Amino acid sequence: MEISNQSTVTEFVLLGLSAHPTLEKTFFALILSMYLVILLGNGVLILVTILDPHLHTPMYFFLGNLSFLDICYTTSSVPLVLDGFLTPRKTISFSGCAVQMFLSFAMGATECVLLGMMALDRYVAICNPLRYPVVMSKAAYVPMAAGSWVAGGANSLVQISLAVQLPFCGDNVINHFICEILAVLKLACADISINVISMGVANVIFLGVPVLFISVSYIFILTTILRIPSAEGRKKAFSTCSAHLTVVIIFYGTILFMYGKPKSKDPLGADKQDLADKLISLFYGLLTPMLNPIIYSLRNKDVKMAVRDLASHRCFAQ
């Protein structure tokens, strides 16, 4: 990724919680705890989906990808946040900032597409169960997952390439914990309209289209479930997609909350609002990756059994 020669900024200063030093130690412990839960929970899910032959199905293949993605997404930013809580002057190089933006942006876009692919898997499983082995064969679901990663990476490459070509010749203080792309674009001493338009188009493609696709899929899924005559049959069918639906609601619900909440018009509360916005953004990036393995473990009998088997095998091995 080549940095524009016009740029005179060689590093950025991450403001983080510099204005609130008393909160830094508290949030360091909290964020570290959440990060360890993310690594442990998603690591266990990846392990059981690989080791348990009963979980070698499209749904659990996508789940393993989702868990790996959540680990990558948080690892692209959390270590930087934790280091910022301990370092008096929180700086990051221009190239390091670009890499961090690329990774976090790519993982976010990939998750949106991957959740859509998982919705398709549940649609076929419930609405066309007899054709499920043919439609969701390995030759289909592996390229679907790979395509999600490629699409997210390509989108991020376009957005970050446009961003790093901008001249940064003045203020280099980012009012955030990490190199959040909108916060970085505000520091450019040039017109960013192309970047804004590009990101708007990307949001429609990677947020709007998957949401529409997931919504339509679940309309058909719920319609099919309601046609099942027995209550036990309806409950069993819904249980196969309830975990995914819960994850989707949490993922997109936090996005809507973060970007849809009203802005305060009180200038005296600007600092408090900035702090709240930064903290909401930070915890949004941790909430879904932390809850995903918990949701799939609690709401899925196959995963619970696989985790128990893995734990018992480890106990016997010791």
Side-chain angles (χ1 to χ4, degrees), residues 1 10 19 68 74-75 78 81 85 99 104 108 116 121 143 163 165-167 172 174 220 228 231 236 249 277 316:
M1 204 177 292
T10 59
F68 180 66
T74 52
T75 302
V78 172
V81 173
F85 287 142
V99 171
S104 60
D121 172 73
Q165 291 179 39
L166 293 169
N172 69 334
I174 300 175
F220 284 107
I228 298 175
K236 184 177 180 181
I249 292 172
D277 288 346
F316 286 131

Side-chain angles (χ1 to χ4, degrees), residues 191-318:
D191 182 21
I192 61 169
S193 57
I194 297 297
N195 303 76
V196 172
I197 293 171
S198 177
M199 289 186 65
V201 173
N203 286 339
V204 170
I205 296 173
F206 287 90
L207 283 174
V209 173
V211 166
L212 179 62
F213 184 80
I214 292 169
S215 300
V216 172
S217 297
Y218 271 99
I219 288 173
F220 284 107
I221 288 171
L222 292 175
T223 302
T224 302
I225 290 175
L226 291 175
R227 289 175 182 168
I228 298 175
S230 68
E232 185 63 27
R234 289 194 296 270
K235 182 179 178 181
K236 184 177 180 181
F238 185 74
S239 68
T240 65
C241 60
S242 59
H244 173 259
L245 182 59
T246 304
V247 168
V248 167
I249 292 172
I250 292 173
F251 180 76
Y252 286 105
T254 49
I255 290 178
L256 291 174
F257 172 78
M258 187 168 65
Y259 291 106
K261 58 186 176 58
K263 299 293 184 181
S264 172
K265 297 181 180 180
D266 180 11
L268 297 177
D271 290 340
K272 290 184 178 179
Q273 182 173 306
D274 285 343
L275 175 61
D277 288 346
K278 288 190 291 186
L279 291 175
I280 289 171
S281 176
L282 174 61
F283 282 100
Y284 154 71
L286 294 170
L287 182 64
T288 305
M290 185 178 71
L291 292 180
N292 282 354
I294 297 174
I295 292 168
Y296 275 99
S297 297
L298 291 178
R299 302 184 69 89
N300 192 295
K301 292 180 181 179
D302 293 335
V303 173
K304 283 192 283 189
M305 289 179 61
V307 172
R308 285 197 208 103
D309 291 343
L310 180 63
S312 62
H313 288 158
R314 290 190 63 183
C315 290
F316 286 131
Q318 293 175 354

Side-chain angles (χ1 to χ4, degrees), residues 40-75:
L40 178 62
N42 287 286
V44 169
L45 267 183
I46 293 171
L47 201 59
V48 297
T49 56
I50 292 174
L51 296 180
D52 194 319
H54 298 97
L55 301 185
H56 292 175
T57 63
M59 182 174 73
Y60 295 111
F61 178 77
F62 287 130
L63 178 57
N65 273 264
L66 182 64
S67 293
F68 180 66
L69 187 150
D70 284 339
I71 290 176
C72 293
Y73 178 71
T74 52
T75 302

Side-chain angles (χ1 to χ4, degrees), residues 109-131:
T110 300
E111 182 155 0
C112 291
V113 180
L114 191 60
L115 288 173
M117 296 299 176
M118 294 174 76
L120 174 63
D121 172 73
R122 292 299 82 206
Y123 164 77
V124 178
I126 293 174
C127 299
N128 295 283
L130 297 179
R131 297 188 59 199

Side-chain angles (χ1 to χ4, degrees), residues 129-142:
L130 297 179
R131 297 188 59 199
Y132 183 76
V134 177
V135 176
M136 296 303 297
S137 65
K138 190 172 184 178
Y141 68 75
V142 171

